Amino acid sequence: MSEREFSLGRLAFRALGAAVAVLALATALIVILQPSAGIALVIALAGVVGAIVAMGVVSTRMTRKELG
C-alpha cells in the first residue's frame, strides 16, 4: 500500500458527512412519525447531539489511523 499524506480536507469531508447522515436520519424520523412538537424537538436535539458525536468519532478514528 502506498503511504498517503494526511489530508485535512478529507478529514473535514468525512466528519461532516457523518454528521449529515445523522441529521438526515433524525429528519426522516420526524417526517415519518409526525410526532407532537415536543417529541419532534427531542428527536431534533438528539440528532444534533448525535451529529456532534459522529463528527468526533470519525475525526478521532481518522486522525489516530493517519498519524498513529
Side-chain angles (χ1 to χ4, degrees), residues 13-61:
F13 182 75
R14 289 189 181 170
L16 289 176
V20 167
V22 172
L23 290 174
L25 178 64
T27 302
L29 280 173
I30 292 172
V31 170
I32 291 169
L33 298 178
Q34 296 182 351
S36 65
I39 301 298
L41 179 62
V42 169
I43 294 172
L45 289 175
V48 170
V49 170
I52 293 168
V53 169
M55 287 173 37
V57 168
V58 168
S59 63
T60 300
R61 289 185 72 188

